[in-house]
């Protein structure tokens, strides 16, 4: 058996694809013991794999001959160890990402700032840099510009683009992804049909990720991207296309503590500690510095609304707080 370190670039039904540092591609399941330890390897994980080089060579030969892999199982070995993660997301399920491209359409499907803000909070809480991409600028240019304004005001990089009509900040976005993403692991996140795969295909045309038709009746996508896949990029980096979620699935929020929520809003940070009351909840108190900033237009109304909604959601889960 041979041991190699590498990164999980895809996962389908318990079978992982690992790109080893020596460029060998290994397909294997995780060691059974992980399940008992509560470890689920994720795309993006650094792992150590153990495999039989002879078996792998056989499979390569079969593949060259164009024969289906029939000999024994499709696995070359197994994942022996999952290395410690520097970040971890549940939706999309991906480990070790540095940048999260939070993608929302200006229309079809209509954007919901609460969904975008949940994602910025999850990213902030996980030590991942959020970047906002508003797609389908062609369908609702005013709404797109308004969203970009909201997120720039919050201190994020934000781009409004239309791949379909070739307009907006496409060049700036491409430049950002290629330079800021160099050597890093990035992932797209957003509801189904937001245009994540379309952007990835625009920036890296040779990858041709699957793009779906938006159902006319429902105005939402058909979940065409079904699995998380990492694609290699500049400087040894990777970018992940991910399946979109539906709004109903997006409930994995309770891992943020109520007391941490305020720290997940970047633009609130300068005002913390400046409220009249030390235990200010920034919801309705007199002398609240965050509410004052809101009135002065330094904080966007929709962001504070999301703060209120997320606070209520967390409180209903921990009513004793
Ligand atoms: N009008 C318009 N349509 C777009 C634009 N970008 C993408 N689309 C369309 O939106 C639909 C969904 O695009 P995808 O890229 O598959 O969306 P996705 O976010 O990857 O969706 P999932 O894989 O289901 O999560 C496709 O029909 C695209 O052609 C755009 O800028 N303008
Ligand atoms: Mg997709
Ligand atoms: Zn306050």
């Amino acid at each position: 058996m041979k041991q190699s370190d590498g990164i999980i670039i895809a996962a389908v039904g318990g079978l992982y694809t690992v790109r080893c540092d020596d460029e060998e591609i290994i397909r294997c399941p995780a060691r059974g013991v992980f399940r008992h330890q509560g470890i689920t390897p994720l795309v993006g994980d650094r792992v150590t794999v153990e495999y039989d080089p002879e078996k792998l060579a056989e499979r390569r030969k079969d593949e060259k001959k164009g024969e289906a892999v029939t000999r024994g199982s499709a696995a070359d070995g197994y994942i022996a160890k999952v290395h410690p993660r520097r970040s971890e997301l549940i939706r999309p399920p991906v480990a070790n990402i540095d940048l999260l491209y939070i993608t929302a359409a200006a229309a079809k499907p209509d954007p919901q700032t609460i969904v975008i803000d949940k994602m910025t909070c999850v990213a902030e809480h996980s030590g991942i840099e959020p970047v906002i991409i508003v797609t389908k600028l062609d369908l609702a240019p005013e709404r797109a510009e308004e969203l970009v304004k909201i997120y720039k005001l919050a201190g994020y990089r934000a781009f409004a683009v239309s791949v379909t009509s070739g307009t907006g900040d496409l060049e700036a976005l491409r430049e950002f992804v290629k330079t800021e993403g160099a050597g890093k692991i990035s992932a797209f996140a957003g509801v189904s049909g937001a245009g994540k795969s379309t952007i990835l295909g625009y920036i890296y045309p040779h990858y041709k990720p699957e793009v779906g038709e938006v159902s006319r009746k429902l105005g939402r996508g058909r979940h065409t991207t079904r699995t998380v896949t990492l694609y290699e990029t500049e400087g040894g980096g990777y970018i992940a296309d991910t399946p979109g979620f539906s709004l109903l699935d997006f409930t994995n929020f309770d891992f943020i503590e109520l007391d941490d929520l305020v720290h997940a809003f970047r633009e609130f940070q300068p005002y913390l500690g400046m409220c009249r009351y030390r235990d200010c909840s920034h919801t309705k108190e007199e002398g609240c510095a965050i509410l004052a900033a809101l009135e002065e237009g330094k904080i966007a109304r929709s962001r504070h609304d999301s703060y209120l909604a997320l606070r209520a959601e967390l409180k209903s889960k921990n009513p004793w707080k």
Side-chain angles (χ1 to χ4, degrees):
M1 292 296 262
K2 184 178 170 180
Q3 276 207 350
S4 290
D5 283 353
I7 182 171
I8 299 179
I9 56 171
V12 178
L15 199 61
Y16 296 92
T17 306
V18 177
R19 183 192 183 282
C20 298
D21 298 342
D22 60 10
E23 300 196 354
E24 195 72 83
I25 304 284
I26 308 291
R27 268 187 312 202
C28 57
R31 230 169 52 172
V33 63
F34 289 154
R35 205 170 312 138
H36 305 294
Q37 296 170 347
I39 300 171
T40 306
L42 293 175
V43 172
D45 263 327
R46 288 283 305 169
V47 294
T48 302
V49 291
E50 264 181 42
Y51 66 98
D52 179 352
E54 275 171 32
K55 209 171 149 194
L56 181 67
E58 289 288 335
R59 184 165 71 78
R60 293 269 185 277
K61 248 190 272 164
D62 287 350
E63 278 174 359
K64 245 197 204 121
K65 282 191 279 177
E67 282 171 21
V69 190
T70 47
R71 216 184 295 263
S73 79
D76 303 316
Y78 56 87
I79 294 175
K81 187 179 163 203
V82 178
H83 298 215
R85 293 172 180 154
R86 63 175 184 279
S87 72
E88 159 183 343
L89 286 182
I90 298 162
R91 184 161 287 117
V94 44
N96 295 322
I97 65 166
D98 306 293
L99 283 170
L100 187 66
Y101 294 116
I102 298 172
T103 309
K108 288 192 183 173
D110 278 341
Q112 287 193 253
T113 48
I114 180 74
V115 172
I116 302 173
D117 295 334
K118 260 191 178 180
M119 287 190 282
T120 61
C121 284
V122 170
E124 292 276 8
H125 191 74
S126 313
I128 297 165
E129 178 67 17
V131 174
I132 309 296
I133 303 176
V134 182
T135 61
K136 311 195 188 186
L137 171 67
D138 55 301
L139 299 182
E142 279 173 22
R143 183 79 184 121
E145 290 309 332
E146 190 188 321
L147 284 169
V148 162
K149 230 171 97 188
I150 290 170
Y151 290 96
K152 282 190 172 163
L153 184 65
Y156 296 118
R157 293 297 301 257
F159 303 87
V161 299
S162 167
V163 172
T164 315
S165 51
T167 52
D169 311 322
L170 274 176
E171 272 321 301
L173 175 62
R174 195 206 314 250
E175 181 68 18
F176 180 91
V177 171
K178 295 200 166 201
T179 56
E180 294 296 318
K184 294 183 184 153
I185 306 182
S186 322
F188 285 92
V191 298
S192 190
K196 301 178 293 296
S197 302
T198 301
I199 302 273
L200 179 61
Y202 170 79
I203 297 174
Y204 297 105
H206 53 291
Y207 286 138
K208 301 185 180 60
E210 249 185 296
V211 167
E213 277 305 301
V214 169
S215 146
R216 264 176 215 285
K217 219 167 104 202
L218 299 170
R220 48 183 163 81
R222 272 205 248 135
H223 292 268
T224 55
T225 305
R226 290 177 189 280
T227 58
V228 180
T229 306
L230 285 186
Y231 297 93
E232 270 186 82
T233 61
E234 291 72 18
Y238 290 90
I239 193 163
D241 195 12
T242 70
F245 37 82
S246 76
L247 296 178
L248 289 177
D249 320 313
F250 200 66
T251 49
N252 64 317
F253 199 66
D254 39 353
F255 70 91
I256 294 188
E257 292 287 325
L258 188 59
D259 292 341
D260 290 339
L261 183 64
V262 74
H263 300 290
F265 282 81
R266 186 169 289 192
E267 70 274 44
F268 292 6
Q269 303 317 298
Y271 308 106
L272 293 183
M274 290 169 69
C275 303
R276 183 174 305 161
Y277 304 109
R278 246 181 60 114
D279 60 347
C280 187
S281 68
H282 324 296
T283 54
K284 53 180 186 290
E285 291 88 345
E286 282 289 315
C288 171
I290 286 176
L291 290 175
L294 178 67
E295 287 314 315
E296 286 168 29
K298 290 178 179 154
I299 290 174
R301 178 72 55 186
S302 70
R303 292 277 292 171
H304 189 261
D305 286 347
S306 291
Y307 168 75
L308 295 178
L310 296 176
R311 200 173 176 282
E313 189 177 323
L314 291 178
K315 258 188 116 76
S316 72
K317 281 177 188 147
N318 301 298
W320 55 89
K321 279 241 168 188

